[in-house]
Structure formats: structure tokens, C-alpha cells
Amino acid sequence: MEVIILKNATEVAERSARIVCDTVNKKPNTVLGLATGSTPVAMYKEMINANKEGKVSFKQMRTFNLDEYVGLDPSHHQSYRTFMNENLFNDIDIDIDNTQVPPGNLENPMEAGPYYEDLIAKAGGIDLQILGIGTNGHIGFNEPTSSLASRTRVKTLTETTVKDNSRFFKEGEFQPTLSITMGIKTILETKRVLLLATGKNKAKAIADAIEGPMAGRCPASALQMHEHTTFIIDEDAASQLEMKEYYKYVLGFQDNLIDKFGDSRGV
Ligand code: F6R
């Protein structure tokens, strides 16, 4: 795993957006996996600016979001479809038909998982997956003790997650407690992962994910088995890492090697 520790959230947004734009410039029909939540919003703004400045085009890009609430219509103000439209899709040159969010409003939500897995497979798999991380270590809505071999399915949210996300709902408003989420195995099958984290409230989850034992208790720790994962985090989120100085030291060597010989690890 690569661990890139940057000064602050702005640098995290700039660095991660640069990787996304470079990937899309290299492969215009990139299949990009996307996340919602607060963390990637600044990166999405960078992508919008790069697009407006003509530095990248997303016309051929296809996207798959990680998760969606069960029981919200896509047009609901808190659906993840609305979130993506408002924070990215409406402001870039993407073809909206090329964007997918798990269907949270099927009469039978159990059908959503196999349907979504099939869509991903037909697109040829995900080239680059963006992830945030929950304060409890979740990725997507794979809550602690999720199977490390799970696929897209209905998942019950923990009380912590419901509480963390209650800030987005008005008082007294229906807040879903079920979601459709890509599974951990679905995420492990993506070609490259960028996990973004900022702020002290993510420090424990980040330490467990990178340096803890691989365990369902911290779903993000499953990324230790992923071939090409890059954690892009700020100093606050890195504050509980025991080997922080080593990661910084490694990066200096790696950046030099990549400058000199290029990056042969695909996307
Ligand atoms: C969102 C998602 C979640 C968030 C996580 C962090 O699609 O899958 O795993 O990435 O809950 O959320 P923020 O960024 O709001 O702290």
C-alpha cells in the first residue's frame, strides 16, 4: 500500500484529483468508482475546475457509485444520486447515461446487488475506485464485521453511521437505516483504489486500516489485500500511524523512481 501524507485537506483534494485526471487523460473511457460523503467534495471541485479549464474531458468516462440508501427515490434531496448530480455530474461534460448509482428504490431491494454486479462486469470492471472511510472503518457501507468476501447487497447501517450521517437530514425527516453497497470483494476487484481521509476523527480508523490486523472489525483493513491502493490523507488523519515517518521516507524514493522510469502498475 502507498501512504501519502499531506499537509491539509486542500492538498488531499488536489493530489487525488490530479491522479483521477491523469488516469482519464490516459484512458478516456475509464470506469471510475465514486464515493459520496464530505471528504471527496473538494476533489470533485478540482475535477470540475480541470474540466472547465479544458485540462481533461469526462465525455467518455463511465462511473459507478459505491452505495445508495434503500427507500429514497433518486430525486430525493438526500439520495446519493442527487448528491452526485449536484456535486459533480451537473458541472462536468460527462454523459449522464454513463453514470450509475445502485438502485435504492426497487420493490425488492435484494435484486439490486446482483443487478449492479452485472452492470460493473459488463463495463469491464472498475479501473479506479475512490473511497472515503467511516469513523468506524467502513468503506462503502460495509460496516464492521462485514464479510471480506462480500458483494453488492443490502446492508444494515450501524448506529454510528446513522448518527454520523444524521447531519444531512432535517429534524424529524425519514433517515434510512438500510443501504445497497458494493461489497468488500467488489472493491478488492477494482484495479486501483484511492482512499481519501482528512481530520482527526478519522485517525483511529486510518491506523486500524493501514497498521492493524486485517479483520472484518475494520473493513478498510481488507485493502491490505488489494494490489494497488493509495491512501491520500492529511496530517490529522495520519496522527495515530506508528510508522508515519517511514511512509514519508518511502514516498521520496518512490516518486523519484516513477519520475525516472514511469509507473508500470497500470491505471
Ligand atoms: C459514501 C461512503 C462512505 C463514506 C464514509 C466517510 O459513499 O461510501 O463510506 O465514504 O462514511 O464519509 P465522510 O467523507 O462524510 O466522512
Side-chain angles (χ1 to χ4, degrees):
M1 291 190 297
E2 280 172 338
V3 183
I4 301 181
I5 301 169
L6 300 168
K7 246 192 282 152
N8 51 40
T10 307
E11 288 192 0
V12 168
E14 287 168 357
R15 180 80 172 233
S16 48
R18 206 179 327 132
I19 295 173
V20 172
C21 293
D22 286 351
T23 303
V24 175
N25 277 330
K26 248 195 254 167
K27 184 182 176 194
N29 65 347
T30 291
V31 181
L32 187 66
L34 294 169
T36 59
S38 312
T39 314
V41 171
M43 181 194 84
Y44 294 151
K45 288 208 172 93
E46 293 291 329
M47 288 169 64
I48 292 167
N49 289 341
N51 186 224
K52 288 203 173 13
E53 287 163 16
K55 293 181 182 153
V56 63
S57 168
F58 299 112
K59 275 196 179 128
Q60 294 180 53
M61 184 172 82
R62 293 159 297 160
T63 67
F64 285 91
N65 262 78
L66 277 169
D67 41 20
E68 178 59 286
Y69 289 119
V70 170
L72 295 190
D73 191 77
S75 63
H76 187 280
H77 71 99
Q78 281 309 328
S79 78
Y80 283 174
R81 160 55 72 184
T82 299
F83 178 98
M84 288 313 303
N85 287 350
E86 288 179 352
N87 285 286
L88 183 66
F89 300 150
N90 289 348
D91 294 313
I92 58 174
D93 61 352
I94 197 165
D95 177 352
I96 201 75
D97 293 340
N98 286 341
T99 68
Q100 302 290 342
V101 177
N105 60 344
L106 295 185
E107 200 172 272
N108 174 1
M110 307 302 266
E111 286 173 358
Y115 163 80
Y116 206 61
E117 289 282 334
D118 194 46
L119 282 186
I120 295 172
K122 283 188 178 131
I126 292 170
D127 294 308
L128 176 61
Q129 176 66 51
I130 306 300
L131 295 179
I133 186 169
T135 54
N136 63 6
H138 74 206
I139 46 176
F141 274 139
N142 295 286
E143 298 286 32
T145 73
S146 286
S147 161
L148 302 188
S150 51
R151 292 201 165 275
T152 308
R153 69 207 181 291
V154 175
K155 187 73 193 165
T156 308
L157 305 179
T158 59
E159 263 182 70
T160 317
T161 299
V162 173
K163 204 166 127 238
D164 281 352
N165 288 352
S166 62
R167 66 189 192 278
F168 298 115
F169 292 84
K170 297 183 198 117
E171 217 181 301
E173 188 178 19
F174 165 70
Q175 184 184 351
T177 50
L178 295 179
S179 66
I180 312 287
T181 180
M182 278 188 205
I184 294 178
K185 189 162 191 181
T186 321
I187 293 169
L188 291 178
E189 283 174 356
T190 64
K191 296 191 189 84
R192 183 173 186 189
V193 167
L194 292 188
L195 187 148
L196 319 185
T198 57
K200 276 230 152 51
N201 63 333
K202 299 294 171 68
K204 167 125 190 6
I206 285 293
D208 288 346
I210 296 173
E211 295 176 340
M214 193 178 72
R217 194 168 272 279
C218 177
S221 68
L223 295 169
Q224 292 172 21
M225 287 290 286
H226 188 267
E227 201 182 348
H228 191 182
T229 285
T230 307
F231 284 79
I232 305 186
I233 61 182
D234 69 357
E235 286 283 354
D236 282 344
S239 57
Q240 289 188 34
L241 287 171
E242 275 175 28
M243 294 174 64
K244 197 163 107 175
E245 292 315 314
Y246 174 70
Y247 306 135
K248 291 185 178 175
Y249 171 75
V250 166
L251 208 66
F253 283 108
Q254 182 148 316
D255 283 349
N256 280 341
L257 281 172
I258 291 174
D259 279 352
K260 217 163 156 188
F261 301 111
D263 194 342
S264 57
R265 294 169 299 179
V267 289

